[in-house]
Amino acid sequence: MSLRPQFALVDVNNFYVSCERVFRPRLEQRPVVVLSNNDGCVVARSYEVRALGVKMGVPWFQIKDLARRYKIVALSSNYTLYGDMSNRVVHILRGFSPNLEVYSIDESFLALEGMQSCYENTILLGKNIRQRIKQWTGLPVCVGIGSTKTLAKLANHLAKKNDVFDGVCDIDQLSLKEANAWMSGLPVDTVWGVGRQLYRRLTAIGIHTVLDLRKASPQYIRNQFGVVLQRTCEELNDVSCLSLEEVAPAQKQIINSRSFGIMVSEIEELREAVAMHVTSAAEKLRRQCLVSAAVCVFIQTNRFQGDRPQYHPSLTIPLLAPSDDTLVLITAALKALDVMYRPHYQYKKAGIILLLLSDKRIEQRALFDNVDSARRSAQLMAVIDAVNRQFGRHTLRSAAMGTQHRWAMRADRRSGRYTTSWDELPVAR
């Protein structure tokens, strides 16, 4: 067994659309798009929609005629469902390898050293990963395997785009001639990290394909483009430069904001929206065992309505002591809102940013802090989180969040939150 590093990249195919199809099988083989906040733009497309030439990010209103002609199903984004399904996939992958990096909501890297002995070969390992995720979640995935993360990412692309691999490609098992043939047919921007600007600069000097970049001198690439692309070039040549990030870097800030479904002018509605954003951000704080020392609040009118008065203020309120207490953070945020608010404006968006984050476990307390008050706060937040986990989000919440939410983001086409909400469980008929 080889001792050199080996990585697998597991990627859920067409993630948002696939999550919807798990619970609505009648959407299989049908053209489906998922829309952004307030049902504005296309953020995910099924393969059937891509074949119609619909581009990512196109406004929904521009393709309504096309949608009627080809019976395209449009759905609102269901981030609660997508996040939960992503967590389930990651949980399954941890059963294959304890060394895992969650790269995005639909992609994870696995370190395979020592795992190959459990299977006849890496292809069989990849097929087992695909089969288990499909059986346990209903989601289709492809698996790319290589001696570097860049090669694993490239192998995943090959597995996804070419039926000959049957969803699993170990690029290390290809002969040099075969690997070069595949790479020569792929444009250089297929390589992980090569974006639009890099693509233009590379093609300008004659590097058009993945194979061209692989054959280029790493030192020349460094001189022309810097150390980051040099490492990419070396990774294409089986030199592992990028290690697995098993622990995500600590966040520097947490942002929570949404556009309103309707224009808002009353401060009561703005207060409800700000309180809701703070509540969501505070939940993230506690999940990551962080505390925040400052809260920034911003409100905005619609920049695209130039004929209306514009107002885009923001204000940061420092806290007396870092906190993850939802009620403390809401109090600070509403103070900022009260200072900024101006009547007679039509507001389109509000949001908050939690700043100066630090690890709660090594938090430095002030000399005269009330220890009992801090303990009661921690106990209260723990109870609220436990109740909301068991009975659904916002079952227990601050009264500042209100109940009507007339301003809430439009999501008229949202499917059920099938896996996290008791009153939205799928029903078999």
Side-chain angles (χ1 to χ4, degrees), residues 122-179:
T122 52
I123 297 296
L124 183 58
L125 172 59
K127 289 184 181 297
N128 273 270
I129 290 173
R130 290 192 78 213
Q131 187 273 334
R132 186 174 301 178
I133 292 175
K134 182 66 175 178
Q135 181 179 0
W136 291 9
T137 69
L139 294 172
V141 304
C142 284
V143 182
I145 301 169
S147 56
T148 70
K149 290 172 72 175
T150 301
L151 285 173
K153 185 86 170 173
L154 185 65
N156 186 278
H157 176 84
L158 292 173
K160 186 177 294 186
K161 300 295 184 181
N162 299 277
D163 293 340
V164 66
F165 293 107
D166 195 24
V168 180
C169 173
D170 183 346
I171 203 165
D172 296 336
Q173 291 194 11
L174 302 177
S175 68
L176 180 61
K177 182 178 179 181
E178 290 173 324

Side-chain angles (χ1 to χ4, degrees), residues 289-305:
C289 205
L290 297 172
V291 288
S292 171
V295 183
C296 175
V297 180
F298 58 90
I299 51 179
Q300 298 175 356
T301 52
N302 193 335
R303 298 177 185 270
F304 300 102
Q305 294 182 342

Side-chain angles (χ1 to χ4, degrees), residues 167-412:
V168 180
C169 173
D170 183 346
I171 203 165
D172 296 336
Q173 291 194 11
L174 302 177
S175 68
L176 180 61
K177 182 178 179 181
E178 290 173 324
N180 286 346
W182 284 110
M183 292 183 186
S184 66
L186 296 175
V188 70
D189 59 352
T190 306
V191 175
W192 185 28
V194 177
R196 186 179 304 170
Q197 292 185 354
L198 265 180
Y199 174 76
R200 285 199 294 261
R201 292 178 61 194
L202 285 167
T203 54
I205 62 172
I207 298 178
H208 298 278
T209 69
V210 177
L211 183 60
D212 292 336
L213 183 58
R214 187 183 198 186
K215 290 184 173 181
S217 163
Q219 188 59 51
Y220 173 75
I221 293 296
R222 177 170 183 154
N223 293 340
Q224 296 293 318
F225 301 95
V227 68
V228 174
L229 194 60
Q230 177 201 8
R231 289 173 179 166
T232 299
C233 183
E234 291 178 341
E235 288 234 328
L236 288 173
N237 286 279
D238 299 318
V239 179
S240 182
C241 303
L242 304 175
S243 59
L244 204 67
E245 294 184 13
E246 298 176 46
V247 179
Q251 284 188 259
K252 293 183 171 61
Q253 60 185 24
I254 292 176
I255 303 175
N256 214 89
S257 68
R258 284 287 186 275
S259 297
F260 300 135
I262 60 172
M263 302 299 285
V264 170
S265 58
E266 300 298 326
I267 191 170
E268 290 78 11
E269 293 182 308
L270 287 174
R271 288 171 67 89
E272 290 178 0
V274 167
M276 178 168 284
H277 291 322
V278 171
T279 299
S280 297
E283 290 170 352
K284 295 176 186 176
L285 269 184
R286 293 192 291 273
R287 283 199 298 270
Q288 299 175 42
C289 205
L290 297 172
V291 288
S292 171
V295 183
C296 175
V297 180
F298 58 90
I299 51 179
Q300 298 175 356
T301 52
N302 193 335
R303 298 177 185 270
F304 300 102
Q305 294 182 342
D307 57 330
R308 292 191 177 186
Q310 297 293 308
Y311 183 47
H312 308 102
S314 65
L315 182 62
T316 299
I317 300 292
L319 304 179
L320 292 176
S323 177
D324 63 359
D325 188 314
T326 299
L327 303 182
V328 171
L329 297 170
I330 286 178
T331 300
L334 295 184
K335 285 181 180 178
L337 178 63
D338 290 342
V339 172
M340 293 187 298
Y341 173 73
R342 299 288 184 273
H344 313 306
Y345 284 102
Q346 296 286 312
Y347 297 99
K348 180 61 177 176
K349 187 175 185 179
I352 65 98
I353 308 174
L354 300 184
L355 302 166
L356 303 177
L357 306 188
S358 58
D359 192 327
K360 184 175 183 177
R361 293 163 294 190
I362 56 175
E363 177 187 353
Q364 181 68 48
R365 292 193 171 276
L367 179 61
F368 298 106
D369 270 359
N370 188 324
V371 177
D372 288 337
S373 177
R375 183 168 58 250
R376 287 196 298 272
S377 167
Q379 290 172 343
L380 176 60
M381 293 301 109
V383 169
I384 290 174
D385 290 342
V387 170
N388 289 338
R389 278 196 301 270
Q390 182 170 356
F391 296 103
R393 200 169 180 221
H394 302 325
T395 299
L396 285 181
R397 61 186 186 274
S398 166
M401 287 173 54
T403 57
Q404 297 300 317
H405 301 167
R406 188 178 68 94
W407 44 266
M409 181 182 71
R410 288 198 311 271
D412 301 330

